[in-house]
Amino acid sequence: QVHVTESGGGLVQAGGSLGLSCVASGGTFSTYPMAWFRQAQGKEREFVAGISWGGMKTWYADSVQGRFTISRDNAKNTVYLQMNSLKAEDTAVYYCAADSQSAVVGLTAPYEYDAWGQGTQVTVSS
């Protein structure tokens, strides 16, 4: 069973940068895709970015393309999300997710991921 834990959230001004980390345990980290989702207050959880098991393929939501970068270090069982040029609308709880049941890339629906962290709050002040 895979467990993931996020860290790195906080308060940042609009236009600033913030990095998130997610450590996974259980399973074989280097064999499954990972993703970041977010959920703003009163809204549904939405896909942010995903990365293939080897890190060669990444995919992003249109709203963060060009501003956010997802990466992973399989030696450290860790996936990262670097967020630049942050906007007030990026304010949300950010969740790390693992698709430990398949190696399919490009998945963006929450139900396609089976392991979730507890989330970390990111607040962007305008």
Side-chain angles (χ1 to χ4, degrees), residues 11-122:
L11 174 64
V12 63
Q13 289 188 333
S17 298
L18 199 62
L20 305 181
S21 299
C22 170
V23 178
S25 61
T28 304
F29 181 75
S30 61
T31 64
Y32 49 82
M34 298 289 295
W36 288 94
F37 288 77
R38 66 186 181 187
Q39 188 166 16
Q41 192 170 7
K43 296 187 177 181
E44 293 186 352
R45 191 168 300 188
E46 65 174 2
F47 170 79
V48 174
I51 189 166
S52 61
W53 60 270
M56 298 299 291
K57 295 184 179 181
T58 58
W59 56 102
Y60 297 91
D62 289 343
S63 59
V64 306
Q65 181 76 49
R67 299 189 298 122
F68 290 12
T69 302
I70 188 171
S71 61
R72 67 190 294 163
D73 184 340
N74 285 348
K76 297 181 178 179
N77 284 12
T78 302
V79 63
Y80 306 94
L81 185 68
Q82 178 62 39
M83 304 181 291
N84 299 327
S85 302
L86 283 160
K87 306 175 181 179
E89 51 263 43
D90 294 318
T91 295
V93 177
Y94 282 71
Y95 296 91
C96 177
D99 174 17
S100 66
Q101 301 302 307
S102 79
V104 177
V105 298
L107 301 180
T108 61
Y111 73 86
E112 293 168 321
Y113 292 82
D114 57 281
W116 292 83
Q118 80 288 348
T120 185
Q121 177 70 46
V122 172

